[in-house]
Amino acid sequence: MKIDPEKCKGCGICARRSPVSAIDGGKKMIHLIDQDLCIKCGTCQEACPSKFGAVTRLEKEPVPAPLPQEMRVLEVVAN
């Protein structure tokens, strides 16, 4: 499983639903999946709101390198 950093909105739903606490991220932060903890159950993918669609299953592609901490903070845009 992987979380697309361009689609993740930092809502935290996936992290709350992970049965093994494999997802790291705070409010308004791009979340990351700890591949060593992940059991590949797909719960996070099911939990991610369809309007975001940030979680996908890795098929034959390598696990992407995690984003550095300073690049994980989402900017808040004022309307």
Side-chain angles (χ1 to χ4, degrees), residues 3-14 24-32 48-49 52 54 67-78:
I3 297 176
D4 185 334
E6 294 188 20
K7 293 181 179 178
C8 180
K9 302 302 180 199
C11 69
I13 295 171
C14 62
D24 176 56
K27 192 170 190 151
K28 293 297 180 185
M29 289 190 71
I30 295 170
H31 287 54
L32 299 175
C48 182
F52 304 145
L67 284 176
Q69 186 72 19
E70 63 273 7
M71 293 181 68
R72 292 178 54 202
V73 177
L74 293 167
E75 293 182 30
V76 178
V77 179

Side-chain angles (χ1 to χ4, degrees), residues 23-75:
I23 301 175
D24 176 56
K27 192 170 190 151
K28 293 297 180 185
M29 289 190 71
I30 295 170
H31 287 54
L32 299 175
I33 297 174
D34 182 329
Q35 299 298 327
D36 293 331
L37 294 176
C38 180
I39 59 173
K40 319 302 187 255
C41 65
T43 300
C44 57
Q45 186 177 23
E46 293 170 10
C48 182
S50 60
K51 63 183 175 184
F52 304 145
V55 183
T56 56
R57 185 174 297 278
L58 291 169
E59 295 297 330
K60 295 181 180 175
E61 59 198 277
V63 175
L67 284 176
Q69 186 72 19
E70 63 273 7
M71 293 181 68
R72 292 178 54 202
V73 177
L74 293 167
E75 293 182 30

